[in-house]
């Protein structure tokens, strides 16, 4: 069977990079189809009519949307390094924490930057990130996944790379090393994984992306 | 091994009923622990410190939160009728649509009721529900899951039962039979499944719950 894998995305999207990391972990070769989000392709609109967003993975012509759904699909289809735990309870915990990262931490952090560092918004971002800090403390491991990265680490890509770039772009501190020592250590470990490194865009591109997005350029 | 299953919840919660349906489908015996959401139990706060919400399933002392995560856990631990498709692509599609129901349709419908039927809010609810109507039309099957209910049907519990009760409580129409014939037919089929029937509270309780919630009682 042909094994054609295409990933529609933009280099600066953390959700796209999470999917790239999963593909890299499984050593899957793929074609990266760059989308222009100000002028979305007919393919993107056809593949993801509900959200019209990237990433979309197209495997042998079958489109899959939503980053965590895509990562679970990749884990199931391609064997090798597992991205989700095998044990049903640990798997449920990983899914729960990935959801916390995506649905609670990410919007809180975006809001802290969007509000230009407004005190209450930053406090809410801290409160959300504190759950991740505590989880790392309780686990006492290098990654959320233990010795190796898993679904939660991939979901938290924005913590490791995008927060620092947005802080630099906007001159606002949202995640201080002092307040989040475990998350800071985790970030360093995470972005030094080869599969992650190979998925990330140059930092300066992300900084200038945020400057544009938040009207600082 | 002991197989102790407790479900913390309130009878009126659609998310709790979804989990009950999954347990019923698998013929799992469980203890229902009724929570008072205005005075949450120490157990609930311990089991779900991030969201402090029901449902929480506790299986042999291990707590699991977030309804879709719980349903996937139930599907994995208890064999019998499958709740997720076996094929990886179909499974990804089911996860995607369950997410659409939870993250897009549900908030839009809640907003339509919260706004007391404000035109724009109802139009947005219609737009969201139309995706489900179309999906049923494309599938041409009795349920989102085909001949049997699956994760998407369970996620859409609120469409089948709560929308009608909220319409009655508030005197607002959000989902007309005329506009959504497939969803209406699906709703009838869904609430007539034994596993679903056994999970639902009496309709009049839900109507009076909504009257209180939206200040109509």
């Amino acid at each position: 069977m042909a094994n054609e894998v295409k990933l529609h995305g933009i280099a600066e999207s953390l959700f796209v990079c999470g999917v790239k990391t999963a593909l890299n972990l499984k050593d899957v070769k793929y074609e990266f189809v760059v989308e222009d989000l100000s002028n979305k392709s007919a393919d993107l609109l056809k593949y993801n009519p509900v959200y019209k967003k990237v990433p979309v993975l197209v495997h042998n012509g079958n489109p899959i949307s939503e980053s965590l759904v895509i990562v679970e699909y990749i884990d199931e289809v391609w064997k090798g390094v597992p991205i989700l735990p095998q044990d049903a309870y640990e798997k449920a915990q990983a899914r729960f924490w990935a959801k916390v990262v995506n649905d609670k931490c990410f919007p809180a952090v975006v809001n802290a930057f969007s509000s230009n560092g407004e005190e209450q918004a930053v406090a809410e971002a801290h409160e959300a990130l504190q759950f991740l800090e505590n989880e790392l403390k309780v686990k006492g491991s290098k990654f959320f996944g233990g010795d190796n990265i898993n679904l939660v680490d991939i979901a938290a890509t924005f913590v490791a790379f995008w927060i620092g770039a947005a802080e630099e772009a906007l001159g606002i501190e949202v995640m201080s090393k002092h307040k989040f020592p475990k998350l800071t250590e985790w970030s360093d470990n995470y972005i030094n994984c080869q599969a992650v490194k190979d998925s990330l865009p140059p930092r300066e591109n992300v900084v200038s992306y945020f400057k544009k997005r938040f009207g600082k350029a």
Side-chain angles (χ1 to χ4, degrees), chain A:
Chain A
M1 184 180 74
N3 218 354
E4 191 191 58
V5 183
K6 289 184 182 182
L7 175 61
H8 289 249
I10 61 166
E12 296 81 5
S13 157
L14 63 105
F15 297 108
V16 170
C17 290
V19 172
K20 283 184 174 179
T21 296
L23 290 167
N24 292 342
L25 281 170
K26 299 283 187 173
D27 211 12
V28 177
K29 304 289 165 246
Y30 62 94
E31 180 190 340
F32 187 55
V33 182
V34 179
E35 289 285 341
D36 173 0
L37 297 189
S38 63
N39 181 23
K40 293 172 183 173
S41 72
D43 275 348
L44 178 60
L45 300 177
K46 181 179 76 183
Y47 291 147
N48 190 0
V50 178
Y51 293 112
K52 304 175 180 72
K53 287 194 303 191
V54 294
V56 173
L57 186 81
V58 188
H59 183 208
N60 294 333
N62 292 322
I64 306 144
S65 303
E66 289 298 295
S67 57
L68 294 181
V69 174
I70 299 172
V71 173
E72 288 222 32
Y73 175 81
I74 291 169
D75 193 37
E76 211 161 311
V77 169
W78 287 280
K79 303 304 166 200
V81 190
I83 298 175
L84 272 102
Q86 302 305 297
D87 172 77
Y89 183 67
E90 283 178 32
K91 199 184 287 182
Q93 290 304 97
R95 287 185 179 130
F96 173 78
W97 281 104
K99 209 170 145 47
V100 170
V101 170
N102 259 16
D103 297 354
K104 191 176 180 80
C105 302
F106 179 67
V109 166
V110 169
N111 193 38
F113 286 117
S114 301
S115 72
N116 209 12
E118 189 270 323
E119 198 176 335
Q120 176 65 19
V122 172
E124 284 170 13
H126 283 176
E127 195 191 337
L129 291 171
Q130 191 64 48
F131 285 113
L132 304 187
E133 177 76 12
N134 295 348
E135 181 63 7
L136 281 170
K137 216 174 277 173
V138 167
K139 287 191 91 90
S141 53
K142 191 173 174 186
F143 299 110
F144 288 100
D147 292 335
N148 296 300
I149 65 179
N150 79 358
L151 187 73
V152 187
D153 297 279
I154 290 177
T157 302
F158 80 94
V159 176
F161 192 70
W162 273 256
I163 288 184
E167 286 180 335
E168 186 183 330
L170 304 180
I172 301 166
E173 190 180 61
V174 164
M175 195 183 93
S176 76
K177 284 186 187 189
H178 173 70
K179 210 171 165 60
F180 299 103
K182 289 282 169 200
L183 264 180
T184 304
E185 194 186 330
W186 168 84
S187 295
D188 290 342
N189 289 330
Y190 183 67
I191 57 172
N192 277 309
C193 293
Q194 197 59 44
V196 178
K197 246 187 214 169
D198 292 344
S199 79
L200 297 176
R203 186 186 161 94
E204 59 270 26
N205 293 13
V206 179
V207 172
S208 65
Y209 175 84
F210 280 125
K211 280 188 177 165
K212 271 184 215 148
R213 178 169 165 183
F214 292 103
K216 297 274 179 179

